[in-house]
Amino acid sequence: MPPPDAATYAPTLPMATYLPIGTPSSSSSSPAAAAGAPEPQTLPFFLSPLPLPPPPLPAGHRVLSSLPPPPPRWPIAVRVPPAFLFEADFRRSHSLVQFLENEGAVPTVEEDKTREQVIRKLKEIVMDWAKVVAYEQRVPPRRVTATVLTYGSYTLGAHGPESDIDALCVGPCIATLQHHFFVALRQILERRLEVSGMQTVENAKVPLMRFTFSGISVDLTYAQLPVVDAVEAINTSSPQFLRRLDSRSWRSLSGVRVNEQIVQLVPNAKKFQVLLRSIKLWARRRGLHCHLLGFFAGIHLAILAAYICQRYPNATANGLFTMFFEIFAHWDWQIPVNLHGQPTNCKRSDGYYMPIVMPCTPPELCMSNMTKCTFKKIREELMRGYALTKDLWRHDFEWTWLFAPFPYATRYQQFLRIALCSPTSEELRDWTGWVKSRFRQLILKLERNGLECDPYSSEEVDHRVIKPNIMYHWGLISEANTYLDISSLREDFMKDIINDVYGKVKCRRSELTLSVVGSSQLPKSMYSDSAYLGYMPQYMVGYQPAPDCWSAAG
């Protein structure tokens, strides 16, 4: 079903556009009243639920009494004062902001300064790199420039202490992706004392280098401009100029362009940042944050958060977060999410789940690795979030319920163990990045074998193995007695890994092992997440998705 119009939409909670930003002293002095918005309507609050029907009588028994049945009982409706709802919403909003700070989702001033220094040094490095390329190509160095642009949660102001810096290296036409970016620039970065953990993903849709710079994780992509002076060109770029880019550079640059549009479209930057931080923490705790594993990418969450902020510009932080679950738990995913609110000509290919339109010109859908099983988990978690947040007046509500880590160890009985091993740590990083870029193919192969999986992004180390290694554990879900041929699965997956020369070179000295293990064979660290389950109220543990929850999968 298409989303209802914001002007006529009547949510189950009073979280529409009239919600206050602060606590009103009275209904007439609230920010909503000052803006001429309608007063919030009081909601019926049922003191007692409808009685359960009596159990059926055993076979052969009759009702002996001739008394008439008792009159039906009806719930008693009580009007909740608007001031109470305003106060409850205000208090929960403040508790959400405090919870984010207590959970370390907000960086300190020192951490932000470190990020600024990293970006400044990266700009200096790529400028020097451009001069080196100019000497090599025999072009006057003074004419050749390069720079670094940031995008993602850092540029949007919604990053956390553990967030990556998404950065784009904008280079001149004489600097190629394969040689100058992945070889020359990588060597320059590796010689820096501040840089460690270098890893490259060269054949992905958006090729990148991933490394740690002064303790900050950096994802560095590349866009090759059709000019020599990249700095001058990027500051005066036009749609006609951008169309001259190759497809990879276009995709790399799209993150920067989308960020600029989001900043212009959200009505209140601070509330947007709180909402996006909340959504990112929720996605990370519930195992929905890894794009390579078929879940959300950062751009998905940013656009969804911006959509909610657009529709409810006067809502509080709690109101926005509540409406995020209210709207997207019931969204008809045949219809793309579009910040411009206009029909789009973006074509949705078969098997494309959760279409989200990037707010740029021309409009295009965000890249997605979602599959049937990862989309299903996202819908389940959205419905869980809706069930937990829909009752504003619950006095015993705790944010720890919503943000509880997903209990993998207790939810599934069997797991697919993916073990990667290499002779050195450096080779293991490259091997891991290469295999992870093809994880979606492995998920699809499991689905074709009649198995759903819940891929867990946590990386574990098997200390019984001498060589550097990494293990992943994916929860397996089978509706029937499905036989999984591990040998055949590995052989089939290896074909995707070594489908080109680069993959064949990487696997010469590295290994990949697949096996099915029980929950008792999991690392102890995976059991710590399930401890939160004991603190969940019983009525929250057993929530049920809506009957039409999967009808819009498409």
Side-chain angles (χ1 to χ4, degrees), residues 520-543:
S520 60
Q521 298 173 272
L522 295 176
K524 293 182 179 179
S525 59
M526 291 187 64
Y527 280 89
S528 60
D529 292 347
S530 61
Y532 284 79
L533 192 62
Y535 298 96
M536 287 285 291
Q538 187 62 36
Y539 73 94
M540 292 298 186
V541 177
Y543 76 97

Side-chain angles (χ1 to χ4, degrees), residues 144 166-167 402:
V144 181
D166 294 312
L402 182 66

Side-chain angles (χ1 to χ4, degrees), residues 319-394:
L320 292 171
F321 201 24
T322 300
M323 292 314 301
F324 169 79
F325 294 110
E326 165 84 14
I327 294 295
F328 294 119
H330 303 93
W331 188 274
D332 179 1
W333 289 105
Q334 298 289 345
I335 303 173
V337 178
N338 189 353
L339 293 183
H340 291 295
Q342 300 173 352
T344 176
N345 295 326
C346 296
K347 294 184 179 180
R348 172 187 170 191
S349 59
D350 293 338
Y352 198 102
Y353 300 92
M354 297 192 78
I356 299 173
V357 181
M358 292 192 293
C360 55
T361 304
E364 54 185 304
L365 294 178
C366 295
M367 288 184 299
S368 175
N369 285 329
M370 291 180 192
T371 68
K372 178 182 177 181
C373 60
T374 58
F375 174 71
K376 180 179 179 180
K377 181 181 178 180
I378 290 174
R379 293 297 303 272
E380 289 175 347
E381 290 298 324
L382 286 170
M383 189 60 69
R384 174 185 179 271
Y386 168 69
L388 288 170
T389 58
K390 64 180 181 179
D391 294 332
L392 176 62
W393 46 78
R394 288 202 60 87

Side-chain angles (χ1 to χ4, degrees), residues 126 129-130 132-134 136-137 139 144-146 169-186 202 207 209 220-228 246 248-249 252:
V126 300
W129 162 75
V132 172
V133 174
E136 178 187 309
Q137 301 295 321
V139 176
V144 181
T145 62
C169 174
V170 182
C173 59
I174 60 175
T176 62
L177 174 70
Q178 292 297 334
H179 175 66
H180 295 106
F181 180 75
F182 277 120
V183 177
L185 182 56
R186 172 173 176 163
E202 301 182 25
M209 284 192 290
L220 185 64
T221 58
Y222 182 60
Q224 182 182 10
L225 302 189
V227 294
V228 174
D246 62 84
R248 286 184 172 179
S249 297
S252 298

Side-chain angles (χ1 to χ4, degrees), residues 3-4 266 272 275 301-312 327-328 331 336-341:
V266 294
F272 167 74
L275 176 61
L301 299 179
I303 294 176
L304 295 182
Y307 181 86
I308 298 298
C309 290
Q310 273 189 324
R311 288 173 59 82
Y312 305 99
I327 294 295
F328 294 119
W331 188 274
V337 178
N338 189 353
L339 293 183
H340 291 295

